[in-house]
Amino acid sequence: MYRDGMIREAVVRTSSGVAAFLTGVYYWMTFALGLSALCAWAVGTTPALRTMVFRNPVLLTVLIVAELGLVIGISWGINKMAAATATALFALYAALNGVTLGYIFVVYSLPAITSAFLTTAATFAVMAIIGTVTKRDLSKLGSILFMALIGLIIASLINIFMRNEMFGWIITYIGVLIFVGLTAYDAQKIKRLYLQAGGDSETNRKLTVIGALELYLDFINLFLFLLRIFGGRRN
């Protein structure tokens, strides 16, 4: 009886810990998305900011390089930096990414952006729930999707020079499938990572940042691919 009680208590404590951790992950992911949306809207709807960013190739290149540097720095250096530093860098990345995403308010109509966002949010939520609650190990799926993502990046770079519209649409639909799958995989991976490495508050905060970053990237990429499918380009 005593042993059974201890087991039940441990299960409850673990479940509550996972719930609190995942709440933190999705809170920071949502915060980052909101920050990106605010920055994108500000740049895309303000002529002076729009001109400064998108008609200045040097500044735009610096912003893109800075974004890549921040993602790599957070992902590879998370163990060597304080959780507060990682959180600040994540917020900075979300802001810079929002600035470069400001073009969507120039290229696409607001109804198209809204429809794509709502579709992304619904799809993301379903796949994240599936990834969190499923008992099936998605590790093999993750490996396949990662290789497919590398192929997608290479194909996208090639199509910059080919400018083949049909090939571009194939890439778009494959991109949707890849990030739908990655959402489920990353949701499961983040939960597993906490169960394996979670512990003190500092470690948990770092895991929260990494989890939020990965899911944020899944959401943004899925949104951009769906936005292209929804169309609604301004004339």
Side-chain angles (χ1 to χ4, degrees), residues 131-144:
T132 301
V133 304
T134 185
K135 301 299 183 182
R136 184 177 180 180
D137 187 357
L138 301 179
S139 298
K140 291 183 179 179
L141 175 63
S143 299
I144 294 173

Side-chain angles (χ1 to χ4, degrees), residues 43-89:
V43 171
T45 59
T46 306
L49 292 176
R50 192 166 63 231
T51 300
M52 181 179 69
V53 174
F54 299 111
R55 292 189 179 180
N56 188 334
V58 175
L59 176 59
L60 187 58
T61 301
V62 169
L63 290 173
I64 294 173
V65 171
E67 288 180 49
L68 292 174
L70 284 169
V71 170
I72 294 172
I74 295 171
S75 300
W76 291 2
I78 188 70
N79 293 325
K80 298 179 181 180
M81 65 178 69
T85 302
T87 303
L89 292 177

Side-chain angles (χ1 to χ4, degrees), residues 75-128:
S75 300
W76 291 2
I78 188 70
N79 293 325
K80 298 179 181 180
M81 65 178 69
T85 302
T87 303
L89 292 177
F90 178 41
L92 177 59
Y93 168 73
L96 292 180
N97 196 39
V99 170
T100 56
L101 285 174
Y103 78 90
I104 67 174
F105 288 95
V106 180
V107 177
Y108 297 96
S109 65
L110 187 58
I113 294 173
T114 302
S115 298
F117 178 83
L118 292 177
T119 303
T120 302
T123 305
F124 180 91
V126 170
M127 298 310 297

Side-chain angles (χ1 to χ4, degrees), residues 2-16:
Y2 178 69
R3 182 181 178 183
D4 291 343
M6 289 181 64
I7 293 175
R8 284 195 297 270
E9 182 181 352
V11 170
V12 171
R13 186 162 57 247
T14 301
S15 299
S16 61

Side-chain angles (χ1 to χ4, degrees), residues 22 25-33 90 115-133 176 178-188 190 210-224 226:
L22 293 179
V25 169
Y26 287 105
Y27 167 81
W28 281 107
M29 186 203 77
T30 303
F31 169 81
L33 288 173
F90 178 41
S115 298
F117 178 83
L118 292 177
T119 303
T120 302
T123 305
F124 180 91
V126 170
M127 298 310 297
I129 291 173
I130 290 174
T132 301
V133 304
V176 169
I178 288 175
F179 283 101
V180 164
L182 280 175
T183 298
Y185 166 72
D186 284 335
Q188 184 182 79
I190 290 164
I210 287 295
L213 174 61
E214 291 187 355
L215 292 175
Y216 169 90
L217 291 172
D218 292 338
F219 190 102
I220 290 294
N221 282 285
L222 180 59
F223 166 71
L224 292 175
L226 285 174

